[in-house]
Amino acid sequence: MKTSAAYLTLTLLWSGSYLAIHYILQVYPPFLAAAARIGIALLILTPLAMRHRFGLPDRARLIGPALLSGLFTMGLAWALLFWGEQQQVAPAVVAVLNAAQPLMTMLTAPFLARRQGQFSAMQRFGILLGFGGVATVFSPQLQGSDLGALFGMLAILGMAASYGIAAHLTRTLTQQWSGSVIFVWQASASLPLLLGLSWWNGEMWPTTIAVLARPAATVGLLYLGLGSTALAFLLWYFLLRRVGSTIASTVTYCMPVVSILLDSLFLHRLPPLPVLVGATVIVGSVILARHRPTWKTAMTATPPRCSTRVACAGGAA
């Protein structure tokens, strides 16, 4: 019962992230809002990391990899996410493109994974099919003249790629550190990056009048920091311990569906048909790309580096 509740809660929290960002960007500038998301989550996760002494001193060698992974998993990824959605990209479309994240993890594996076997024919077909789905999602923008939305969607796809890279960089950490410790060290790198981008972009914190005029933006920011980041991070690691990465990562399949429903409920709109078709193709392609080899192949294949309790791919929404 606890596992099912955690799975459902995590799916809803991460699926609602993009809708929350939609409201946040009506008041708060993108890079500053992304930095605030991390700051709010740190209020919850830092005391938990202190209980583990921040992973020090016995695992101090992991600080470097943690900082590097933080630049991708929260710094670059969230900068692209917030900026991309600011370009009038619908929350449901963001969720659909983010579903391609496991494909990005597989494509970057030959360059970043220390031990990586060859892709099976089914996996290669799944990857090609997935990018066909991505092209289908992009097709309405390619036929139109809204370059802002097109660049925004490219930024969201870059977010998925950043998550894919971060998945490889984080594997060693998840085997030796708790989730709260990983988050604190990753935030130590990503927060200065986001604040630097905010300063370079000339962003300013909104006035009190602007904040009070649109309370949904502040509610969304609190939801994002406390729920979709801090609580979701803890739920994710709870699921990894209880059911393993294979089942826990199926949250990725559910997020586009829930995000489309949330868009319909709160924004009273549905994505165009190409986006719905592309979402179906992308989710199906991820399932194919994660196809495990047959038992004969598995007997001779190199085992994956990540354990059953560690997600081989995945990233916060």
Side-chain angles (χ1 to χ4, degrees):
M1 185 65 180
K2 289 183 179 180
T3 303
S4 299
Y7 185 96
L8 178 60
T9 303
L10 180 62
T11 302
L12 293 174
L13 287 174
W14 274 353
S15 300
S17 298
Y18 312 116
L19 181 63
I21 293 173
H22 170 82
Y23 288 109
I24 290 169
L25 293 175
Q26 295 177 0
V27 174
Y28 298 93
F31 303 129
L32 201 55
R37 174 184 186 177
I38 295 176
I40 294 171
L42 281 173
L43 297 177
I44 303 299
L45 296 177
T46 299
L48 297 179
M50 291 177 63
R51 296 174 57 185
H52 299 279
R53 296 183 298 177
F54 299 103
L56 301 174
D58 52 334
R59 295 187 175 91
R61 68 185 186 281
L62 299 178
I63 294 177
L67 295 175
L68 180 60
S69 66
L71 291 176
F72 286 95
T73 195
M74 290 188 289
L76 180 60
W78 289 358
L80 292 170
L81 168 61
F82 279 75
W83 183 87
E85 195 163 340
Q86 189 188 42
Q87 311 309 307
Q88 305 303 312
V89 179
V93 176
V94 177
V96 170
L97 291 175
N98 182 59
Q101 175 199 146
L103 302 178
M104 300 296 186
T105 303
M106 295 185 68
L107 283 177
T108 54
F111 306 98
L112 297 174
R114 294 182 180 179
R115 296 168 62 185
Q116 176 68 31
Q118 294 182 348
F119 294 140
S120 67
M122 183 70 75
Q123 289 174 324
R124 289 194 293 269
F125 175 72
I127 293 173
L128 291 175
L129 184 64
F131 282 97
V134 171
T136 304
V137 174
F138 270 84
S139 60
Q141 299 302 328
L142 295 175
Q143 298 172 2
S145 58
D146 188 356
L147 292 179
L150 176 60
F151 288 134
M153 291 174 67
L154 289 172
I156 300 302
L157 197 59
M159 173 200 69
S162 184
Y163 279 148
I165 295 172
H168 299 292
L169 300 175
T170 310
R171 285 182 183 176
T172 303
L173 305 178
T174 53
Q175 295 173 357
Q176 303 186 55
W177 271 350
S178 69
S180 58
V181 171
I182 294 172
F183 183 90
V184 169
W185 283 113
Q186 288 179 333
S188 300
S190 57
L191 189 56
L193 173 63
L194 291 169
L195 290 175
L197 288 172
S198 177
W199 172 81
W200 180 77
N201 203 40
E203 294 181 349
M204 299 291 292
W205 191 258
T207 63
T208 303
I209 295 177
V211 171
L212 294 178
R214 293 181 179 268
T218 303
V219 172
L221 188 58
L222 292 173
Y223 164 87
L224 205 61
L226 297 176
S228 185
T229 305
L231 178 57
F233 211 78
L234 297 176
L235 289 174
W236 173 246
Y237 279 92
F238 170 79
L239 286 175
L240 289 179
R241 292 192 299 269
R242 294 294 292 267
V243 300
S245 63
T246 301
I247 296 177
S249 61
T250 58
V251 170
T252 306
Y253 309 151
C254 305
M255 287 170 58
V257 178
V258 177
S259 293
I260 290 172
L261 292 175
L262 291 174
D263 259 28
S264 175
L265 180 62
F266 288 93
L267 303 180
H268 308 292
R269 64 186 181 189
L270 286 174
L273 181 60
V275 174
L276 297 176
V277 173
T280 304
V281 173
I282 291 172
V283 172
S285 71
V286 170
I287 296 174
L288 289 176
R290 285 185 169 179
H291 174 72
R292 297 296 180 88
T294 61
W295 70 272
K296 291 183 179 180
T297 306
M299 292 295 290
T300 57
T302 302
R305 287 185 61 82
C306 56
S307 68
T308 57
R309 292 188 177 186
V310 179
C312 295

